[in-house]
Amino acid sequence: FIVAWSRFAIATVLILPLTGLKIREFRHFLDWRVLIRGSLITAAIFCMITALKTESIANVFGAFFIGPIVSYLLAVLFLKERPTKLQTMLLIVGFTGVMVVVKPGFGATVGIGIGLLAGTFYGAYLASTKLIAGEFRPKFLLISQLIIGSVILSPIGLSLDLELPELDMNISLLLIGSAVFSAAGNLLLVVANRMAEASLIAPLIYSQLIFAVIFGVLIFNDWPDFLSIIG
């Protein structure tokens, strides 16, 4: 709860002055589409961080990348997009890779299951972003999801008897870095969705998996198992 909430809260404080939020835009916070989108990314981030408590970065991201599949299906069903046969084929290959990492029925863990749930929420978030990307400013969509996430997670965190970490320089820099990089990535995602179809943007999220493996090995010496590497 602390890591998830701080990611939204710190990013809100740092980015709010840069968004040019106007008084007339406050009414948009009551738009059900904006609220659902903010709730989806909040649930995705919380589940992903929870999964990382017990699983390696590479394995969590392997499960998390059920997200592009969910986004792809929602884009076809509800946004009436028509991806090419090549896009469809490549996405099936990606889905096969996810299943190899997840190992459904043999070797699957609770952490991997939570990672799949995170990916499902994230896929719905990607589709909802495409749905409203043309109606609101990218910076408004960014700050709206940050504020909504902060509001959702604040009462949950405050109602629990949580042991707060000592906020030394190292922890503080990590929390700030998490917030800033997450916000920057999501802003670029909104901009990209204004320029291309969701079914095209969604599979590009898989590039994160490469960096998840690299950082997992370099920082934590955390190597995926053989099947996960193949996946």
Side-chain angles (χ1 to χ4, degrees), residues 113-133:
I114 297 174
L116 279 172
L117 185 60
T120 301
F121 283 129
Y122 192 69
Y125 161 77
L126 290 175
S128 66
T129 296
K130 178 59 182 178
L131 178 65
I132 62 176

Side-chain angles (χ1 to χ4, degrees), residues 32-230:
W32 66 271
R33 298 169 301 174
V34 173
L35 290 172
I36 289 178
R37 177 177 174 275
S39 300
L40 288 170
I41 188 61
T42 302
I45 294 297
F46 173 73
C47 288
M48 185 173 68
I49 292 173
T50 302
L52 284 170
K53 289 174 65 69
T54 59
E55 292 291 333
S56 71
I57 293 178
N59 286 350
V60 169
F61 269 84
F64 181 72
F65 283 121
I66 194 74
I69 311 295
V70 174
S71 176
Y72 179 93
L73 293 175
L74 291 175
V76 171
L77 292 174
F78 297 105
L79 303 182
K80 306 304 180 183
E81 293 185 3
R82 292 294 177 262
T84 65
K85 291 182 180 180
L86 178 61
Q87 285 177 291
T88 302
M89 183 186 70
L90 293 177
L91 204 65
I92 291 173
V93 173
F95 178 73
T96 303
V98 170
M99 290 298 100
V100 172
V101 174
V102 173
K103 308 178 188 68
F106 57 100
T109 64
V110 174
I112 288 294
I114 297 174
L116 279 172
L117 185 60
T120 301
F121 283 129
Y122 192 69
Y125 161 77
L126 290 175
S128 66
T129 296
K130 178 59 182 178
L131 178 65
I132 62 176
E135 297 186 36
F136 301 96
R137 294 187 302 120
K139 289 183 179 179
F140 169 77
L141 289 178
L142 174 60
I143 197 61
S144 68
Q145 72 186 47
L146 294 175
I147 292 176
I148 290 170
S150 300
V151 171
I152 290 175
L153 293 174
S154 291
I156 300 175
L158 293 174
S159 67
L160 298 176
D161 185 19
L162 297 176
E163 183 179 346
L164 294 173
E166 182 180 348
L167 293 179
D168 56 21
M169 181 62 70
N170 185 49
I171 293 295
S172 298
L173 288 176
L174 288 173
L175 289 174
I176 292 172
S178 173
V180 170
F181 287 124
S182 176
N186 282 306
L187 177 61
L188 291 173
L189 184 64
V190 172
V191 173
N193 270 285
R194 291 168 65 93
M195 302 168 66
E197 292 188 341
S199 55
L200 173 62
I201 296 298
L204 300 179
I205 307 296
Y206 281 120
S207 62
Q208 292 183 45
L209 186 54
I210 299 172
F211 295 101
V213 174
I214 293 173
F215 288 129
V217 172
L218 293 180
I219 299 174
F220 303 106
N221 195 29
D222 200 356
W223 290 85
D225 60 38
F226 180 70
L227 276 179
S228 296
I229 291 176
I230 291 176

